[in-house]
Each structure stands twice: as C-alpha cells, then as structure tokens.
Amino acid sequence: MTLPAPVSRRSFVVASVGAALALGVSSQAQAQAQAHARGRGPFGRYGSPSARLDERTLYVHPGGLGDHTTVQAAVNAASGSGYTLVIAPGTYRETVSVSVARTEMTWVGASGEARDVVVVYDNAAGTPKPGGGTYGTTGSATTLVQADGFTARDLTFANDWLRAEHPGISGTQAVAIKVQGDRSAFVGCRFLGHQDTLYADSMALGTFARQYYRDCYVEGDVDFVFGRATAVYENCHFRTLIRDDLTGAPYGFVFAPSTAGANPRGYLVTGGRISSEAPDAYYKLARPWVPSSDTTARPMLTVRGTRMSAGIDAVEPYTNMSSGFPWQDQRFAEYRNTGPGAVVSVPENRPQLTSAEARSHTREAYLGDWTPWKGC
C-alpha cells in the first residue's frame, strides 16, 4: 500500500494561525488581522487593558497591546488566586508553568477559535538540557499546570518536536500539556503532538485529581492520552496520525491510563469519536501503563457512546505495555460504541459493560460534587 505523505505537525500547528513558521514567517500579524476581520479588537469581547473587566483580568498580546507579551509573564504576574488571562491570537513559542499557588486560574482564547491562539514549544524527553542531562517526559511539556481549579477555553496546546528532525534522540516523548491539578477543565481546546500529547495526571500517588475535557480535539500516535488522573472526555475528537518511520502495525495507542489501584475512577470517554490518518487497524485503542514508580497501579479506561473509525484494530483493540501487567487484569471496558473500529468480533478481546454497570460510568459518578459542565 502506498501511504500518503505525512503532514508535518509543525506546519499543521502554524497553518492553524495562518502562516508558515518553518519558513520563518511570523503568524502574529495575520492572526491579529483575522481577529479584527471578525469585527472585534485583539481581545474580542473580553475588554482590554484600557477597559479591563476586573482587576484580576490580565491581557496577553504578542505585539505589546496587552499587559504582557508572553503567557508565562502573565502567569507570573498573577500572584494569587482567581486570575483570568485573556490571550490574543498568535503563536506563543514558549514553555509555561502554572504553580500550585495560582489556583482558580482561567485562560481564554480571545477570538473564541482555538486555532487562533497557540502555545507551542519543541522539547522532547531526550532533548539535552542546558547544564547537562535531558528533560525527561515531564520536563518536555510545553505547558505544565499544577494548580487546582484551572480552566482553559478556546486554546491550542502543542508540542511540535518531530522524530525525523532528531534521529539521534531516543527519548521521543514530547508532551503538549501536563495537567496535575484537581478540578481542571478544558473546553473547546486542541492538543497537538505525537507521543504523549496530553498528560492527564495528578500531583501525587494518593491524590485523585479530577479533570474534565469537553468538545476538545486531541491528536498523536503513541500513548497520546495518558496518566493517572480521574478524567472525563466528553464529546471529544481523538485523531491518530500517519507515521513514516514505521512500515507496519501498530503505529501506536490512543490511551495509556496509569490509574492508582486505590482510585475507583480512571478515564471515561463518552460521546466522542476516534478518527485516523493511518491505514485500517494500525492503531490500538489502549494499553495499560503500570509505571515503575507504582507497580500497584490498575489502569482504568471506559469508552462509551463513541464512534471509532477503521483505524482502530477491532479484533485486538488492547495490548500490553509490559507482559507482567496484562491488559486483561486491568479495568478496561466499553459500552455501546459504534463504527468499524468498535465491532465486537472477538468478545473476549472487548469487555463490555452491562446496562446496570454503565449507570456507574458517567461524568457525574466520576467527578462527584464538582459540576464543571454547568459553568463551562
């Protein structure tokens, strides 16, 4: 089979804001022009530094029309709880970290279109650090969120590190965002990368951080949604990518949860869809991650009401990450999924919930007394 030429993730990220970064062309002016073309200023309906919504609203603009020109500078200036960052269209090539002290923070993409506002960098786990060593998986993250109560709307989080450009690096994990805080919500956001794109985790083994993703788009190839958080993905689109560095299946795995054994709730995917650039059956739905730091983990994933394209291997949708922790011993289940990738041809390979069991696998059951869907 002749496969289509792969699309560079860097080109894809930049095309989203209207320019070719690989050619050294700035996307800022064009993105701003798009925002103005919609009949609004660079901050849309969210005010401006001269018409501030409130004292805890900060404005980020790459050309200097806001309070800050970088996202990290605005985060640093938000020295307490409850700040809102309104981020103007543009490509913000930087790493950003939100510490535990900056609770109840909200980031808003000013245009209302996630493609217009991109936070991106290109570190990988094996990228050398200044002063020695490498970044590791967590250190590769473009954005790190450790504070509780974080909300993001209409933004793109990306890591455009490419394997083909770094053949000498074996640590190819390249995280777009790592989220560790409790009550973290993302609405209408995009997460772009290859391996380990979206790291939905917690601050500590005994901390069961709750996260909510609604109407989001996530793409990648290897374990590109992973971690130990209790996370609900509602009406989200997951897309598996073509790979030109491999000649056969599998290309990768959509989910790799590492849920703590004591946590009764892991990942819940509901009302979503999984599409693919790859040939039929070249992707697995999931594999369990039992990290060396927690060999008592019992990864948990429930996928329900989700359409799966033929890119998912319907015969063997699950596989092992380690032979010592077979997927059959973990907490994987499905319920009323559709599409060619969801066909149950070998029942023992696709555990199904009963209707009674499915009643305990809902966003309400997973998120408890936190109801983000009512305020997002």
Side-chain angles (χ1 to χ4, degrees):
M1 174 185 291
T2 300
L3 300 180
V7 177
S8 163
R9 288 305 104 188
R10 181 169 294 121
S11 297
F12 184 75
V13 168
V14 174
S16 300
V17 288
L21 190 64
L23 299 177
V25 180
S26 171
S27 64
Q28 314 295 359
Q30 188 163 346
Q32 291 296 335
Q34 290 171 354
H36 283 283
R38 297 187 183 102
R40 295 171 178 161
F43 300 109
R45 61 188 177 88
Y46 298 103
S48 67
S50 61
R52 200 177 303 276
L53 296 185
D54 59 57
E55 62 181 11
R56 289 182 179 264
T57 298
L58 301 176
Y59 297 89
V60 185
H61 186 281
L65 299 181
D67 299 304
H68 305 279
T69 58
T70 68
V71 179
Q72 186 64 66
V75 170
N76 292 345
S79 57
S81 181
Y83 276 83
T84 296
L85 272 54
V86 179
I87 307 173
T91 300
Y92 298 84
R93 180 159 286 276
E94 57 177 306
T95 59
V96 185
S97 179
V98 181
S99 69
V100 294
R102 291 170 167 83
T103 58
E104 313 303 327
M105 178 176 281
T106 298
W107 293 8
V108 178
S111 72
E113 295 288 341
R115 292 176 180 272
D116 292 344
V117 185
V118 180
V119 182
V120 58
Y121 208 71
D122 60 349
N123 282 330
T127 299
K129 292 173 63 176
T134 57
Y135 281 99
T137 300
T138 292
S140 76
T142 297
T143 301
L144 173 64
V145 178
Q146 296 183 313
D148 291 343
F150 181 86
T151 299
R153 296 197 301 270
D154 304 322
L155 296 163
T156 293
F157 299 90
N159 188 318
D160 60 359
W161 188 89
L162 300 174
R163 298 183 184 95
E165 295 181 359
H166 304 277
I169 291 181
S170 58
T172 56
Q173 302 89 341
V175 178
I177 186 169
K178 180 172 183 176
V179 186
Q180 295 179 283
D182 186 36
R183 296 179 291 103
S184 301
F186 296 81
V187 180
C189 291
R190 298 192 311 157
F191 305 91
L192 310 182
H194 281 273
Q195 182 172 351
D196 292 4
T197 304
L198 172 54
Y199 196 169
D201 205 53
S202 69
M203 285 295 291
L205 179 60
T207 301
F208 304 153
R210 296 164 296 174
Q211 300 174 17
Y212 179 65
Y213 301 81
R214 192 184 77 195
D215 301 327
C216 291
Y217 172 87
V218 193
E219 68 174 29
D221 49 39
V222 177
D223 304 332
F224 64 93
V225 182
F226 73 114
R228 68 181 172 215
T230 293
V232 174
Y233 306 91
E234 186 171 49
N235 302 331
C236 292
H237 179 190
F238 306 89
R239 186 159 179 82
T240 62
L241 303 177
I242 197 74
R243 294 186 64 174
D244 60 347
D245 59 321
L246 297 179
T247 58
Y251 277 175
F253 322 88
V254 182
F255 301 100
S258 58
T259 321
N263 190 351
R265 308 292 180 192
Y267 285 1
L268 171 66
V269 179
T270 179
R273 66 182 174 118
I274 301 173
S275 65
S276 183
E277 294 180 356
D280 292 357
Y282 265 52
Y283 272 87
K284 303 294 186 181
L285 180 60
R287 61 178 181 171
W289 177 29
V290 179
S292 58
S293 59
D294 178 22
T295 56
T296 66
R298 285 198 65 214
M300 182 178 184
L301 168 70
T302 299
V303 183
R304 60 178 298 169
T306 292
R307 179 171 178 80
M308 302 183 199
S309 75
I312 297 298
D313 182 354
V315 177
E316 296 184 61
Y318 305 104
T319 190
N320 299 334
M321 188 177 292
S322 169
S323 60
F325 302 98
W327 72 264
Q328 293 90 342
D329 292 346
Q330 313 311 322
R331 295 175 284 178
F332 287 179
E334 301 178 51
Y335 183 69
R336 292 186 177 178
N337 296 315
T338 60
V343 173
V344 182
S345 56
V346 183
E348 59 267 31
N349 287 347
R350 305 206 77 146
Q352 303 290 310
L353 298 175
T354 66
S355 295
E357 290 171 334
R359 286 195 285 272
S360 64
H361 292 268
T362 64
R363 66 184 182 190
E364 292 85 355
Y366 276 58
L367 300 182
D369 60 359
W370 180 48
T371 56
W373 60 89
K374 293 183 178 180
C376 292

